[in-house]
Amino acid sequence: MAETTAGIPPRYLRTQEAARFLGLSERTLEKHRTYGTGPAYRKLGGRVVYAIDDLQTWADRGLVSSTSDPRGTVLPAKRQEPSDRRFAGRQPR
């Protein structure tokens, strides 16, 4: 199959297609983009597109084989705070 696609540029997916590929809602993928927790994307002429390889790589970061495995590295679609800022303003006891 690699021989037939050797001369073809990689296929890019728009947000709707990428969300469907990942099994997420479009809004969740947009939030990931906003917070920097999602897959790599490109802006082409003002349009956001995702390479299939980037989507698969990002999804593979969350791969675990059992519930006792350490959690994957795919973060939730929300603002992430550095751990040292989490306790800012608190006084040690």
Side-chain angles (χ1 to χ4, degrees), residues 8-62:
I8 299 173
R11 170 111 161 64
Y12 294 105
L13 304 178
R14 301 284 303 271
T15 301
Q16 181 181 17
E17 298 168 314
R20 190 173 26 233
F21 178 86
L22 293 169
L24 301 173
S25 73
E26 291 177 55
R27 184 68 182 126
T28 297
L29 195 53
E30 290 167 358
K31 286 180 181 181
H32 275 297
R33 198 166 57 236
T34 300
Y35 299 131
T37 58
Y41 65 94
R42 292 158 176 81
K43 298 256 326 213
L44 303 176
R47 295 177 186 217
V48 173
V49 294
Y50 297 87
I52 292 174
D53 288 343
D54 292 336
L55 295 171
Q56 191 64 56
T57 298
W58 180 76
D60 288 345
R61 287 179 23 202

Side-chain angles (χ1 to χ4, degrees), residues 84 87-93:
D84 59 341
F87 301 105
R90 291 188 184 175
Q91 299 296 321
R93 292 185 179 215

Side-chain angles (χ1 to χ4, degrees), residues 61-77:
R61 287 179 23 202
L63 180 65
V64 292
S65 58
S66 76
T67 57
S68 62
D69 281 352
R71 188 171 166 200
T73 59
V74 173
L75 298 172

